[in-house]
Amino acid sequence: MSRPMTYAHTMAGNGSHHAGPHTAEDVAQRLRRIRRLAWILDAAFRLPGTRFHVGVDALVGLLPVGGSVVMGCVSLYIVWEAWRLRAPTGLLVRMMANVLLETAVDTIPVVGDLFDAAYKANLRNVALLEQYFGHTPGHTS
């Protein structure tokens, strides 16, 4: 994987498919927003009597097949945001693989639901982006 983006990298862009450079603050703000979304999707609710968290993704994913597909599409929003931030193709492919794996396995009754609740593709993808951009949760520089 590439080294973390610096402010100079975000301003220079990579000559790719989206208009306009991103400032370091813009990148940090987008990362905070998609981290919040990923938390809602993957970890917003603590299971009573445990330290385990699930999110809306796991709950909606309980609906046969359709729930998995719908939540897979919602998960693609995070990948789209990564594309808009000019994440490299290799990172985008890895993020897509996370979403596709979780969505595909989630279509298997019971086992898929357990996998979905444990795998947390959205939080994984945000962590990959934060690592690429050299950010940690709550850190803005």
Side-chain angles (χ1 to χ4, degrees), residues 102-132:
E102 184 175 84
T103 302
V105 174
D106 193 29
T107 62
I108 302 167
V110 183
V111 172
D113 298 320
L114 295 172
F115 179 81
D116 181 33
Y119 190 69
K120 302 182 185 310
N122 300 299
L123 288 172
R124 284 175 187 263
N125 284 343
V126 171
L128 288 170
L129 269 179
E130 289 170 340
Q131 179 183 1
Y132 175 74

Side-chain angles (χ1 to χ4, degrees), residues 46-99:
R46 186 176 61 81
L47 295 178
T50 73
R51 294 170 63 159
F52 193 74
H53 286 78
V54 296
V56 173
D57 190 356
L59 299 176
V60 174
L62 292 172
L63 299 173
V65 183
S68 302
V69 172
V70 167
M71 294 315 299
C73 290
V74 173
S75 294
L76 289 176
Y77 172 77
I78 294 171
V79 179
W80 180 69
E81 279 290 342
W83 177 81
R84 290 182 63 213
L85 286 168
R86 298 186 176 103
T89 302
L91 179 59
L92 295 171
V93 167
R94 190 168 173 195
M95 292 173 72
M96 284 291 298
N98 283 337
V99 172

